[in-house]
């Protein structure tokens, strides 16, 4: 009888301990990162030195999930969440803000988030309702220089993009919220997918799929490029426009982890 009583007491303590652990909360930061390409500049696959003055993205429906089994970004199927937290409203952020030593950009914080591993992230880019990029989901403002020629450029994208992503893939693990501690998830944007990268072999899939800057430079008027997506569709060849529009859904990542765009 004493053994049974002790066993029941141990089971009760285990249940209470598990319940307390289930109820543990911390906070979760949502951060955005355009990587060193955006803050420091880089050389495109076709030899243009690219520097960015601003890259505005408008983020809505920003959410993080604890999923089991883990989310598969390639299938685009988000499994059932044991916990989901998110940010309200829309947020226009400038990915080019800061220098090469700048931290990733804080988009918002969920102050009370259930403890655990947030192994799936999703967000939507929609045209901004106000601010410097009003009417556009993505606004790229920069300068390209090559062989003594300098071309200021603005690229305005008004399409909507919905990204669903798995766990962060990089040098550190992100997405872990511990009791009374703060975790982070990251929305990463790879703009070398548009311009290519001279430091990567030209036959690499990154460069073979990237439009580069030459096709944009050919559209310069009075020494500058200022185009919307509809302008590009009207001005580029069908193949070039297809190449440009096809890379836009690949911009969203979680570190090096791929996302599904719907």
């Amino acid at each position: 009888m004493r053994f049974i009583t002790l066993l029941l007491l141990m089971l009760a303590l285990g249940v209470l301990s598990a319940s307390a652990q289930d109820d543990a909360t911390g906070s979760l930061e949502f951060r955005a990162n355009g990587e060193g390409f955006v803050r420091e500049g880089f050389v495109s696959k076709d030899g243009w030195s690219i520097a960015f003055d601003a890259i505005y993205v408008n983020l809505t429906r920003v959410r993080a999930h604890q999923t089991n089994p883990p989310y598969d970004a390639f299938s685009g199927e988000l499994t059932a969440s044991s916990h989901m937290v998110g940010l309200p409203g829309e947020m226009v952020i400038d990915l080019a803000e800061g220098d090469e030593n700048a931290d990733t950009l804080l988009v918002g914080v969920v102050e009370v988030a259930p403890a655990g591993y947030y192994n799936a992230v999703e967000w939507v880019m929609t045209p901004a309702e106000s601010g410097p990029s009003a009417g556009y989901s993505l606004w790229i403002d920069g300068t390209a220089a090559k062989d003594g020629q300098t071309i200021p450029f603005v690229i305005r994208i008004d399409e909507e993009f919905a990204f669903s992503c798995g766990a962060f893939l990089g040098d550190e693990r992100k997405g872990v919220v511990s009791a009374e501690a703060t975790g982070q998830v990251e929305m990463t944007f790879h703009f070398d997918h548009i311009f290519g990268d001279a430091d990567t072999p030209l036959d690499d899939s990154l460069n073979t799929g990237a439009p580069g800057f030459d096709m944009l430079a050919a559209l310069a008027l009075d020494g500058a490029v200022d185009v919307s997506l509809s302008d590009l569709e009207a001005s580029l060849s069908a193949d070039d426009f297809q190449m440009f529009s096809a890379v836009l859904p690949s911009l969203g990542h979680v570190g090096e982890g791929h996302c599904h765009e719907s």
Side-chain angles (χ1 to χ4, degrees), residues 149-204:
Q149 182 182 17
T150 299
I151 299 178
F153 65 89
V154 174
I155 305 168
R156 295 169 281 118
I157 308 298
D158 58 3
E159 281 195 1
E160 181 174 302
F161 301 94
F163 294 103
S164 298
C165 317
F168 179 87
L169 182 60
D171 294 333
E172 58 182 309
R173 194 184 192 197
K174 294 191 177 184
V176 177
V177 172
S178 302
E180 299 182 8
T182 301
Q184 294 182 1
V185 290
E186 179 180 300
M187 296 167 281
T188 317
F189 297 84
H190 289 196
F191 285 94
D192 51 345
H193 285 208
I194 295 177
F195 300 100
D197 178 16
D199 290 334
T200 300
L202 289 178
D203 60 356
D204 186 271

Side-chain angles (χ1 to χ4, degrees), residues 56-108:
Y56 298 113
V57 294
N58 185 50
L59 304 175
T60 65
R61 284 177 268 169
V62 177
R63 298 168 181 165
H65 301 260
Q66 296 181 30
T67 70
N68 187 20
Y71 170 71
D72 182 356
F74 291 98
S75 72
E77 293 297 326
L78 183 63
T79 54
S81 301
S82 56
H83 293 294
M84 184 275 286
V85 297
L87 302 177
E90 69 172 33
M91 298 134 284
V92 175
I93 60 169
D94 178 5
L95 293 170
E97 182 180 319
D99 59 18
E100 65 273 11
N101 298 314
D103 198 1
T104 56
L105 295 167
L106 179 63
V107 177

Side-chain angles (χ1 to χ4, degrees), residues 213-222 224-227 231-232 235-236:
F213 193 78
D214 277 345
M215 70 168 64
L216 297 171
L219 305 180
L221 295 174
D222 298 324
V225 172
D226 187 347
V227 291
D231 293 331
L232 292 175
S235 303
L236 295 174

Side-chain angles (χ1 to χ4, degrees), residues 138-151:
L138 173 62
W139 179 296
I140 307 172
D141 185 343
T143 304
K146 178 181 177 181
D147 298 334
Q149 182 182 17
T150 299
I151 299 178

